[in-house]
């Protein structure tokens, strides 16, 4: 039985996602927000949001950023506004799955009220771990671009030892950097030590800033504050991988003359094809349970 999926907005990684889904004979794809593409998708229907009969959809794929708090979608490949009010979700069938990268109070509320399943893809362990690879590669790219020293033998501090922090620490260590990792949980500190890296309790982070050349944050809360920044050398570069607004006091970093970069959506920038395939594989997996 064919399933009908509406892909509403999306960035470069969604182009590969669409190609992957298009290869399945059991899926019909409707595109919204891709009218500016120079090369369209052969055989796929491109419509406006008002032309979709939401009652016929088995799944909806929203952009990685989802919607804003009023239901607006920000498309990359279109200038036409896309608005998804609460009643649009209520017209969906109860079996419809809504996929998004990240959710917010609005999306959570409207899907719950409509009694439909919401899947925030970036909350899934498998997606986050697979995505940590292009994220780490993108961080390496940025480190090379924004520093005047080699990664090899440089002092790198990774803040956070979650799915991204673990991979980033591994990749920089493999390049010969002297890597320290700051975390809160005792078991994480033990694992960091077992990996041959320097474990730093988060509450002691400020005391380990003096020799830091590259500071990489992965924690989505302000953990790089004035106390940490005032001990950081002026030549150091901060790459903040946490979701907006990041975990760094960017204003104070600027006052100190320290380069601090909020690096968002690295998988979609450095490896959109890989990132798109990761998303498509998980979505196809989910669709089999409809």
């Amino acid at each position: 039985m064919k399933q009908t999926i509406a892909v509403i907005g999306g960035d470069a990684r969604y182009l590969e996602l669409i190609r992957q889904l298009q290869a399945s004979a059991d899926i019909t794809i409707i595109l919204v927000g891709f009218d500016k593409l120079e090369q369209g998708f052969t055989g796929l229907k491109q419509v406006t949001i008002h032309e979709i009969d939401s009652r016929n959809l088995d799944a909806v794929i929203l952009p990685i950023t989802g919607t804003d708090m009023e239901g607006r979608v920000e498309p990359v490949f279109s200038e036409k506004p896309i608005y998804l009010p609460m009643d649009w979700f209520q017209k969906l069938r109860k079996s419809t799955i809504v996929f998004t990268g990240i959710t917010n109070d609005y999306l959570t509320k409207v899907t719950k009220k409509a009694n439909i399943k919401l899947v925030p893809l970036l909350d899934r362990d498998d997606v986050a771990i697979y995505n940590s690879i292009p994220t780490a590669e993108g961080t390496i790219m940025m480190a090379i671009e924004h520093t005047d020293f080699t990664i090899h033998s440089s002092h790198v501090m990774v803040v956070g030892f979650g799915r991204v922090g673990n991979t980033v620490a591994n990749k920089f260590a493999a390049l010969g950097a002297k890597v320290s990792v700051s975390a809160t949980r005792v078991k994480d500190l033990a694992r960091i030590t077992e990996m041959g890296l320097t474990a730093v309790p988060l509450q002691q982070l400020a005391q380990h800033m003096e020799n830091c050349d590259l500071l990489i944050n992965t924690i989505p809360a302000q953990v790089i504050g004035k106390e940490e920044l005032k001990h950081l050398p002026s030549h150091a570069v901060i790459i903040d991988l946490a979701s907006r607004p990041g975990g760094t006091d960017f204003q104070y970093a600027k006052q100190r003359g320290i380069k601090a970069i909020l690096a968002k959506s690295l998988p979609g920038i450095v490896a959109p094809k890989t990132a798109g395939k990761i998303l498509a594989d998980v979505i196809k997996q989910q669709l089999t349970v409809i």
Side-chain angles (χ1 to χ4, degrees):
M1 182 178 173
K2 272 209 166 192
Q3 294 174 325
T4 301
I5 302 174
V7 182
I8 302 175
D11 56 20
R13 71 195 104 176
Y14 275 52
L15 305 183
E16 181 61 24
L17 181 154
I18 292 164
R19 290 188 190 98
Q20 293 284 331
L21 295 178
Q22 190 180 13
S24 174
D26 298 326
I27 294 175
T28 298
I29 302 172
I30 299 171
L31 301 181
V32 180
F34 291 88
D35 48 276
K36 275 176 65 179
L37 280 179
E38 292 181 10
Q39 187 175 3
F41 290 91
T42 306
L44 295 189
K45 189 177 181 183
Q46 296 209 40
V47 299
T48 67
I49 194 67
H50 305 292
E51 295 174 308
I52 291 182
D53 186 348
S54 56
R55 295 168 296 184
N56 295 331
L57 299 178
D58 296 292
V60 175
I61 303 175
L62 299 176
I64 290 297
T65 52
T67 71
D68 67 10
M69 290 301 292
E70 294 174 349
R72 286 186 292 266
V73 172
E74 187 177 347
V76 173
F77 299 108
S78 177
E79 293 177 354
K80 298 175 183 175
I82 299 174
Y83 173 56
L84 302 177
M86 185 178 291
D87 62 355
W88 189 88
F89 288 94
Q90 290 177 329
K91 290 174 186 174
L92 294 169
R93 297 200 297 250
K94 301 304 178 193
S95 58
T96 304
I97 300 178
V98 175
F99 296 95
T100 182
I102 56 175
T103 188
N104 58 19
D105 289 345
Y106 175 81
L107 262 182
T108 302
K109 181 180 76 174
V110 296
T111 50
K112 185 176 181 180
K113 192 162 185 180
N115 196 26
I116 53 178
K117 184 177 181 180
L118 176 67
V119 179
L121 292 164
L122 297 191
D123 284 354
R124 291 176 55 97
D125 282 335
D126 50 0
V127 174
I129 291 168
Y130 287 134
N131 263 334
S132 72
I133 299 168
T135 298
E137 291 185 7
T139 308
I140 292 166
M141 177 190 76
M142 294 188 75
I144 293 170
E145 182 182 349
H146 292 282
T147 60
D148 56 3
F149 49 82
T150 61
I151 290 173
H152 188 277
S153 295
S154 64
H155 289 82
V156 176
M157 174 66 77
V158 179
V159 183
F161 194 63
R163 297 163 298 194
V164 173
N166 191 321
T167 302
V168 168
N170 261 316
K171 299 301 182 189
F172 275 86
L175 289 173
K178 297 171 183 174
V179 178
S180 300
V181 185
S182 185
T184 54
R185 297 190 298 181
V186 172
K187 71 172 187 177
D188 288 341
L189 295 169
R191 177 61 68 191
I192 292 160
T193 303
E194 180 273 331
M195 290 167 60
L197 309 177
T198 302
V200 176
L202 189 61
Q203 64 270 25
Q204 298 176 21
L205 181 59
Q207 301 163 35
H208 293 262
M209 292 283 91
E210 288 183 0
N211 297 319
C212 182
D213 300 308
L214 187 62
L215 177 57
I216 303 167
N217 177 56
T218 67
I219 298 178
Q222 193 169 107
V223 288
I224 314 298
K226 290 183 179 179
E227 191 61 30
E228 289 74 26
L229 289 168
K230 72 181 182 183
H231 294 289
L232 199 62
S234 59
H235 74 268
V237 173
I238 301 170
I239 301 176
D240 200 318
L241 303 176
S243 55
R244 190 180 291 277
T248 303
D249 186 337
F250 288 96
Q251 186 174 357
Y252 188 70
K254 187 176 181 180
Q255 288 174 11
R256 281 219 53 217
I258 295 171
K259 184 182 290 185
I261 305 158
L262 180 60
K264 57 178 185 175
S265 302
L266 279 182
I269 295 169
V270 302
K273 185 170 184 177
T274 300
K277 187 177 185 307
I278 290 167
L279 296 174
D281 288 345
V282 173
I283 288 170
K284 285 190 285 188
Q285 198 178 71
Q286 289 286 304
L287 290 175
T288 60
V289 302
I290 292 181

